Amino acid sequence: MIGILPATSLDRMGGKTLKDTWIRYYRKPETTGAVAVAGSPGLRSIGKLVVDSLITKMQPELIAELYSTHFPLIYQTTPSYASHPQLPGVSGVTIASGRVGFPKIQFYFHPSPPLILTQGCHANFAGQYEVAEKVLDFYDEVGVSRLIVVAGYGLRGKDVCCAATSRRIMDGLKEQYGVEAGYEGPFYGFSGLVFGLAKRRGLDAFCLFGRTEPRPDDPESPDDEASEHVLRTLDQMLGLR
Amino acid sequence: MKGQNVFAYEEAAHNNLNLINSVLLLKAMQVTIRLKEAFKSTGSILVCGLPGIAYVGKLSVDHLIRGLGAQLVGEVYSRFFSPYVLIGRDGVVELLRNELYYWTDGAGRGVFFFTGNAQATSPEGQYYIVDEVLETVVGFGVKRVYSLAAFLTRKQFEAPSVYGTATDLSLIEELKKYGVLPMEQGSISGMNGLIFGLTRLKELEGICLLGETNGYQTSTGHYLVDAKAGRAVLQVLAEMLDITVDMKPLEAQAEQMDLLTMRLADFEKQVREELRKVSDRDPSRYIT
């Protein structure tokens, strides 16, 4: 486990004890006013699909990775590691092309427009706050001025609805882009908590929810159509494609 | 001794200062109370009602906050709350949190109210949050704590009674004057009970008022709000604090909940009846 840590991280830890959550930096971009876009596995992977799609199309630079001992290696109990207590995600180290990988959050940087694309990961029940706080620390360090969270919702309604950290932002989204509130209720997991903690820190943030039909038998079956709706709205807002 | 940090008791027990410092540091990292900068008022009373069985405590405190026009003066955040947020009907996101409100009667008496949209999920978190809140309000002069909770019973009753317990016998005698039945035994779960328990450890005056309820739950396990129990508790509390509260909104809510409960009971009866018919037709089916 120690092998994935850069020397600087070992120094910070005093070379003795492993921190619960840490970031491995590759480069700190000199930027101000960047917009962070964050998505994670969850309801039919809409958030994850949106961020993955942006990364594929925009070819941003991987600038940092967040690791945590709170990321799941094994399911101790079904509800512990999930975006929703009843929907378990993926746990354990990953093997791809013969190489081992750890559960992690990845941060990518795109210079123009300045974006920090964030591939989220759900920590266990006790570690979600710590991981979300660390992500917001990182946003602060790299000069993020606004956060857009992308996710799915499983109710009847418009293709895309939104939520925000303030009424002012909600009014602006409706006026400029015709996107309105449409989901009311709990928002579980990495994306929800980063969104909520952004409000507490005074970081302007909003969330775009793509409408989907929940599939309890296969909650992570990708809904490409719903993610495309969210991508179109994002494009309209940020001029991405 | 009043307002003493409860974890300091461990110091006497273990005589290990480093351990105590570690515990206090851990608590500071896990619980944050954000007070309004300008808030410097004093108050001698804290009334606590967090969401719990039939929402008796929370309903009562929320009603008092609205009725008296108490002001939000503090927000309590913690990693011990469940890791999700709430999206409101207007689309605005809220973290799970507890809240401190303050009201003054204009004659120098100040009252704090402690409520919120959740309780911490773990016992450890409940201890940390309650201890931090108590330390904070004691710093503002609080000497007496009223905790409002539910008294769960299977017994059928016309009107809910109010049970009570207190940190000393003289307070229990005082409760009797208001028609409160002494709670002889039992347990008070969650933070509404814990705050009462820690009040005793901190050598403050503590009173817990419990509204009798059948704690009706939906098939998904969610409690329905018992406005009748809330109203009963509130009537006693209002009398003890000598404050006037308009009970009409609670009465209207109680009537609505009565109707809903009756409909749900009818519906469940129908379902049971249908299941019984199916069972009669096909005796091989096993129905629990």
Side-chain angles (χ1 to χ4, degrees), chain A residues 125 128-130 163-164 166-167 170 181 183-189 192 195-197 199-200, chain B residues 32 34 77-96 121:
Chain A
F125 203 75
Q128 292 204 22
Y129 274 90
E130 181 176 318
S166 70
R167 277 277 184 87
M170 289 299 292
Y183 172 68
E184 178 189 3
F187 185 6
Y188 293 92
F195 185 32
L197 288 170
K199 177 178 180 177
R200 187 179 135 192
Chain B
T32 305
R34 272 189 182 178
Y77 296 99
S78 175
R79 296 176 182 190
F80 289 114
F81 291 125
S82 285
Y84 67 87
V85 294
L86 296 170
I87 308 293
R89 188 167 293 176
D90 59 359
V92 177
V93 63
E94 292 292 347
L95 279 167
L96 298 189
T121 47

Side-chain angles (χ1 to χ4, degrees), chain B residues 136-250:
Chain B
T136 301
V137 295
V138 164
F140 288 110
V142 164
K143 292 180 173 57
R144 179 179 280 200
V145 176
Y146 291 89
S147 179
L148 312 182
F151 188 94
L152 193 59
T153 176
R154 289 184 179 176
K155 186 184 78 179
Q156 295 301 309
F157 48 84
E158 280 295 313
S161 300
V162 176
Y163 291 82
T165 178
T167 47
D168 66 63
L169 287 174
S170 65
L171 286 174
I172 290 177
E173 289 305 313
E174 189 182 328
L175 288 178
K176 287 179 185 172
K177 293 177 193 165
Y178 296 94
V180 175
L181 305 171
M183 181 182 172
E184 303 286 354
Q185 61 179 13
S187 62
I188 308 164
S189 58
M191 287 167 70
N192 291 328
L194 185 63
I195 200 166
F196 170 67
L198 290 186
T199 298
R200 180 170 187 180
L201 281 186
K202 288 173 180 290
E203 299 185 9
L204 302 167
E205 290 181 343
I207 291 172
C208 187
L209 298 173
L210 304 104
E212 191 176 29
T213 179
N214 292 137
Y216 195 90
Q217 283 177 287
T218 64
S219 54
T220 54
H222 291 97
Y223 277 108
L224 293 183
V225 175
D226 190 338
K228 278 186 177 175
R231 182 183 57 187
V233 165
L234 204 49
Q235 276 170 339
V236 172
L237 183 69
E239 212 178 327
M240 292 186 80
L241 295 179
D242 192 23
I243 53 178
T244 307
V245 190
D246 181 10
M247 295 288 181
K248 281 178 191 160
L250 275 186

Side-chain angles (χ1 to χ4, degrees), chain A residues 199-202, chain B residues 32-36 73-77:
Chain A
K199 177 178 180 177
R200 187 179 135 192
R201 291 187 178 213
Chain B
T32 305
I33 298 187
R34 272 189 182 178
L35 288 171
K36 278 196 172 177
V73 296
E75 297 167 2
V76 184
Y77 296 99

